[in-house]
């Protein structure tokens, strides 16, 4: 069964608690939080103080996607807050293994995120140590961009290597590409503008499930 993870990037940031409650009622499985630092990506969003507040508003699993230059500075704090899923980008961390273990020792599901141009082969050696892989299907930094179909073959390659690992796809996800993403082996769909860009969150979430 695919899990639907709405991205709060497309939410009304002046009403976060209300938006989260609406997403819970609409059947969201996970809440996806995009942390951007203005260095790794050309945009700024939120950090641990706001995430800590968000944690108190929901019992849904939280999925923190770190699009930052120094993810190692935040991992222990996110574990302490009680975040369920945390991913950081392969492209910016020289010692991936070390940081993955910081997460795992903190009781967090550990994921590596890959930009569209990064080959999946770059993380094959550590796949057995990961809980999930986040495959970007847009270049990170903004919501509402067009989906890049190159992600389909990346899902297939990871699935061939590992049948257990969770595969999350993020960027431009909608009801047109969701069936093929699920068929290829993706089990977590992140969607921002597709879900929150419509008043009826429940209808949008349901339309992403097979
Ligand atoms: C983009 C973020 C995504 C974003 C997706 O850098 O990682 O999570 O919110 O938004 P949509 O679904 O609108 O492409
Ligand atoms: Zn994201």
């Amino acid at each position: 069964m695919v899990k639907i993870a709405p991205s709060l990037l497309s939410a009304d940031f002046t009403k976060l608690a209300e938006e989260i409650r609406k997403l819970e009622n609409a059947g969201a499985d996970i809440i996806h939080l995009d942390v951007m630092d203005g260095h790794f990506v050309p945009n700024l969003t939120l950090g641990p103080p706001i995430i800590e507040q968000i944690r108190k508003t929901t019992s849904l699993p939280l999925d923190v996607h770190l699009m930052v230059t120094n993810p190692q500075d935040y991992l222990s704090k996110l574990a302490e807050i009680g975040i369920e899923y945390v991913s950081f980008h392969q492209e910016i961390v020289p010692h991936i293994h070390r940081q993955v273990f910081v997460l795992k020792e903190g009781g967090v599901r550990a994921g590596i995120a890959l930009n569209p141009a990064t080959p999946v082969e770059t993380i094959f050696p550590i796949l057995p140590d990961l809980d999930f892989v986040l495959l970007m299907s847009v270049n990170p930094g903004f919501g509402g961009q067009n989906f890049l179909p190159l992600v389909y073959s990346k899902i297939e390659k990871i699935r061939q290597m590992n049948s257990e690992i969770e595969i999350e796809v993020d960027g431009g996800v909608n009801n047109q590409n969701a069936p093929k993403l699920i068929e290829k082996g993706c089990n977590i769909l992140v969607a921002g503008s597709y879900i929150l860009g419509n008043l009826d969150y429940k209808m949008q979430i349901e339309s992403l499930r097979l």
Side-chain angles (χ1 to χ4, degrees):
M1 188 68 171
V2 70
K3 300 174 193 170
I4 307 297
S7 166
L8 284 191
L9 191 61
S10 295
D12 180 342
F13 268 60
T14 65
K15 296 180 185 153
L16 277 184
E18 194 181 319
E19 291 277 53
I20 291 166
R21 191 171 37 78
K22 279 171 67 181
L23 290 166
E24 276 176 1
N25 293 338
D29 299 296
I30 297 173
I31 300 289
H32 182 85
L33 301 172
D34 290 297
V35 176
M36 304 183 186
D37 67 350
H39 293 275
F40 183 66
V41 290
N43 202 359
L44 286 164
T45 51
L46 45 76
I50 296 178
I51 293 173
E52 198 164 7
Q53 304 265 330
I54 290 173
R55 171 75 292 172
K56 293 174 190 156
T57 70
T58 181
S59 55
L60 281 182
L62 296 178
D63 168 35
V64 174
H65 175 195
L66 294 169
M67 286 161 278
V68 305
T69 305
N70 297 308
Q72 61 276 8
D73 295 348
Y74 308 103
L75 304 180
S76 303
K77 180 66 184 170
L78 292 170
E80 185 191 315
I81 293 172
I83 304 304
E84 285 81 355
Y85 291 81
V86 173
S87 61
F88 55 84
H89 274 260
Q90 183 270 5
E91 298 84 5
I92 201 73
V93 176
H95 306 295
I96 288 178
H97 231 169
R98 188 176 294 157
Q99 307 312 330
V100 162
F101 280 97
V102 171
L103 290 172
K104 292 177 85 131
E105 281 163 18
V108 182
R109 291 183 74 73
I112 298 297
L114 298 179
N115 282 337
T118 306
V120 286
E121 287 78 2
T122 55
I123 55 164
F124 277 1
I126 61 156
L127 223 43
D129 293 317
L130 300 179
D131 295 299
F132 72 107
V133 178
L134 188 165
L135 297 174
M136 292 301 305
S137 39
V138 299
N139 286 288
F142 303 93
Q145 302 181 81
N146 288 336
F147 177 82
L148 300 171
L150 56 75
V151 76
Y152 293 127
S153 66
K154 294 171 102 173
I155 302 171
E156 274 178 344
K157 285 180 188 171
I158 294 175
R159 260 299 157 250
Q160 276 166 15
M161 293 287 291
N162 188 318
S163 59
E164 295 298 311
I165 195 163
E166 295 204 90
I167 302 177
E168 176 174 29
V169 172
D170 183 8
V173 170
N174 57 35
N175 64 339
Q176 302 298 304
N177 48 45
K180 189 165 171 185
L181 290 169
I182 296 166
E183 179 204 315
K184 297 286 179 194
C186 164
N187 76 302
I188 305 176
L189 292 172
V190 176
S193 52
Y194 178 73
I195 295 174
L196 291 120
N198 188 302
L199 286 177
D200 192 340
Y201 296 171
K202 189 176 167 69
M203 180 178 80
Q204 298 302 96
I205 287 174
E206 282 172 5
S207 72
L208 292 174
R209 300 189 198 276
L210 263 184

